[in-house]
Amino acid sequence: TGFFSYLYGLFGGSPAGAITLKDCLLQYYGQEELSGGDKYKCDNCKQHHDSIKKLSLIQPPEVMTVHIKRFRYDAFFGNNTGSKLTDSVEFPMTDLNVKQFTKAYDKYKEEQATTNYDLFALVEHRGNLSGGHYVGYVQKEGSWFECDDTRISPVTAEFVSKVEGYILFYRLRCPRSRIEEREKITGMVERGGGEQQVWISKLWWHRWLHIVNPGPIDLTGFTCHHGKVHIPSSDEPKLKSIPLSVWETLIAKYKGGPQIGALGECGQCLAEREEMDRRRRYEQKMVHESDKTFIEPGQAWFIVDKQWLQSWLAFVNEDLHRPPPGPISNARLLGPDGSPLDGLERGLNYRGVNLEVWNIFYRIYGGGPTIVRSRLDIYSPPCPVPRTALGGA
């Protein structure tokens, strides 16, 4: 890594021969001594100590992305100089085993049983540090293709194996037992048309079909806060029907749930939604009947935080189904001493409502503080709060 290595890099050579991806992984996951200026600072005693740093793989991912360092920067004679590393790194097309880099962990014992990977895509950088071009290679149905901008051309696996890899994408190899499980269960689905049907998330089903470790069956998105099945008609396309026997086989192995035996919405949720819709219509009607774009002589404007007002408008819009806005949040307009913050703009940061509308808002939501002005300008002098105003000081 010294000056002569840098000179070799400048002229496209390397003092060392080809290295393998396994060599890179051994170095990445190897022990590193931290001493001198790199000592580790203990969180407990707050002192720096010589230590050893080591990385381990706990849960082998479904897709492993390997980024090979192809660019370096060196400082010589006070100047920072960069170069591209063109060393040949041999990478396996199939059967990359990372077992030796994993650390035993009971929680992921099942996942750690499968550690073989096969290459399915990579990125190549053509050019140098000052300019270049990225080309992708991807495998589809056993065949490899070169993706160069809009040009896609078939290539051989042998050609891909000799590419100067920059970013490599490996997929966890599916063990034979999982392949047999898929064949068995998909066959049960095809034959089980006359059996009692239950419903399962299509998202989880596709995970089960295409990845090695799909995780627990997750149907929490189809239940409500009452703990009951709640599936609006808009969510029905997200579910797939399967025979009860298939469900029992899957739930026994992958756990999760809950079981969905019928589609429909929770009765309590429907009642709550109808009640909320009535409230939306009521509030909207009350404000609409009382709101005006002007005030009579002797009356005052009540300042309302624009952000809170927008939340209320979203709530009363029955198409949006937003929650109530909560207490009026005028405090965001004021500083610690109660005076308006600098730079507030009418229409952008605040709006004005009349006494009747303010009382409607305050009666339902509370909050505050009450900000009253004779003119619709938060920086104009405050005026007394009318005796009939709710929330007044």
Side-chain angles (χ1 to χ4, degrees):
T1 58
F3 182 64
F4 288 102
S5 297
Y6 164 71
L7 291 178
Y8 272 100
L10 270 181
F11 296 99
S14 172
I19 58 177
T20 67
L21 182 60
K22 185 61 73 73
D23 294 329
C24 298
L25 292 173
L26 284 168
Q27 183 176 15
Y28 181 77
Y29 286 108
Q31 291 188 357
E32 178 183 356
E33 294 185 3
L34 303 179
S35 59
D38 295 326
K39 286 184 178 181
Y40 174 75
K41 183 179 180 181
C42 176
D43 292 336
N44 294 323
C45 69
K46 309 302 180 184
Q47 300 297 314
H48 290 83
H49 302 277
D50 290 337
S51 7
I52 293 177
K53 171 185 172 183
K54 188 180 188 309
L55 300 176
S56 295
L57 187 60
I58 300 298
Q59 184 181 16
E62 293 290 335
V63 174
M64 182 170 64
T65 304
V66 181
H67 189 172
I68 298 176
K69 182 179 179 182
R70 285 291 179 190
F71 302 96
R72 66 179 294 171
Y73 295 88
D74 298 281
F76 296 113
F77 312 117
N79 297 316
N80 290 324
T81 307
S83 63
K84 180 181 177 182
L85 302 174
T86 58
D87 302 72
S88 174
V89 178
E90 297 177 355
F91 51 88
M93 300 290 288
T94 60
D95 203 27
L96 171 64
N97 194 319
V98 297
K99 181 69 175 179
Q100 69 187 98
F101 307 118
T102 61
K103 181 179 180 180
Y105 197 55
D106 287 342
K107 181 178 179 181
Y108 300 111
K109 184 177 181 180
E110 184 175 345
E111 287 88 341
Q112 290 183 352
T114 304
T115 55
N116 288 316
Y117 287 83
D118 299 317
L119 187 74
F120 73 94
L122 67 88
V123 175
E124 174 191 22
H125 177 267
R126 297 175 181 175
N128 52 43
L129 194 65
S130 58
H133 181 63
Y134 292 97
V135 177
Y137 298 87
V138 63
Q139 186 188 51
K140 182 179 180 182
E141 298 176 354
S143 299
W144 281 93
F145 298 88
E146 179 186 79
C147 306
D148 186 352
D149 290 337
T150 59
R151 297 184 298 276
I152 300 178
S153 310
V155 291
T156 64
E158 182 181 5
F159 178 87
V160 175
S161 69
K162 293 179 171 57
V163 166
E164 186 182 278
Y166 180 44
I167 304 176
L168 311 174
F169 299 90
Y170 284 89
R171 180 186 292 115
L172 190 62
R173 182 186 296 175
C174 189
R176 184 62 199 170
S177 59
R178 282 284 284 114
I179 295 174
E180 292 173 351
E181 176 190 308
R182 288 174 184 166
E183 293 173 348
K184 174 185 175 183
I185 291 182
T186 53
M188 291 170 64
V189 171
E190 292 171 359
R191 296 188 301 271
E195 188 180 337
Q196 177 185 346
Q197 300 288 299
V198 297
W199 301 84
I200 196 168
S201 162
K202 282 184 179 179
L203 176 60
W204 188 88
W205 179 259
H206 285 293
R207 287 174 57 85
W208 176 80
L209 280 175
H210 298 291
I211 67 177
V212 178
N213 300 303
I217 300 173
D218 185 8
L219 292 167
T220 53
F222 302 101
T223 58
C224 65
H225 61 281
H226 302 114
K228 299 179 180 179
V229 172
H230 181 76
I231 305 171
S233 57
S234 58
D235 283 347
E236 291 182 9
K238 301 176 183 178
L239 294 165
K240 172 184 177 62
S241 63
I242 59 174
L244 179 59
S245 59
V246 170
W247 166 264
E248 292 172 344
T249 301
L250 293 174
I251 200 70
K253 177 175 181 179
Y254 296 102
K255 313 304 180 190
Q259 179 179 316
I260 298 178
L263 302 181
E265 298 185 64
C266 166
Q268 289 176 267
C269 287
L270 288 175
E272 290 174 357
R273 188 170 68 193
E274 291 172 1
E275 176 60 31
M276 192 63 72
D277 285 342
R278 281 194 294 270
R279 174 180 166 180
R280 290 186 174 97
R281 291 191 292 269
Y282 169 76
E283 290 188 24
Q284 190 174 42
K285 178 176 180 293
M286 292 287 290
V287 171
H288 178 73
E289 291 176 350
S290 302
D291 191 29
K292 295 179 181 178
T293 58
F294 63 91
I295 57 175
E296 300 293 343
Q299 294 182 339
W301 288 106
F302 288 75
I303 303 298
V304 179
D305 172 41
K306 174 70 177 297
Q307 185 174 329
W308 182 90
L309 194 57
Q310 286 180 318
S311 297
W312 179 81
L313 289 169
F315 165 65
V316 297
N317 186 328
E318 293 188 49
D319 293 330
L320 297 180
H321 297 289
R322 298 287 173 81
I328 300 169
S329 54
N330 279 351
R332 77 172 82 245
L333 303 173
L334 306 176
D337 61 353
S339 60
L341 297 173
D342 293 335
L344 299 177
E345 298 182 28
R346 185 178 70 188
L348 180 64
N349 304 109
Y350 65 90
R351 298 290 295 272
V353 299
N354 60 29
L355 172 63
E356 290 77 11
V357 173
W358 169 261
N359 281 344
I360 293 170
F361 284 152
Y362 192 86
R363 185 181 298 111
I364 297 172
Y365 296 103
T370 307
I371 305 174
V372 186
R373 300 290 188 268
S374 58
R375 293 186 295 111
L376 189 46
D377 180 0
I378 197 171
Y379 298 108
S380 63
C383 63
V385 178
R387 286 181 300 173
T388 54
L390 300 178

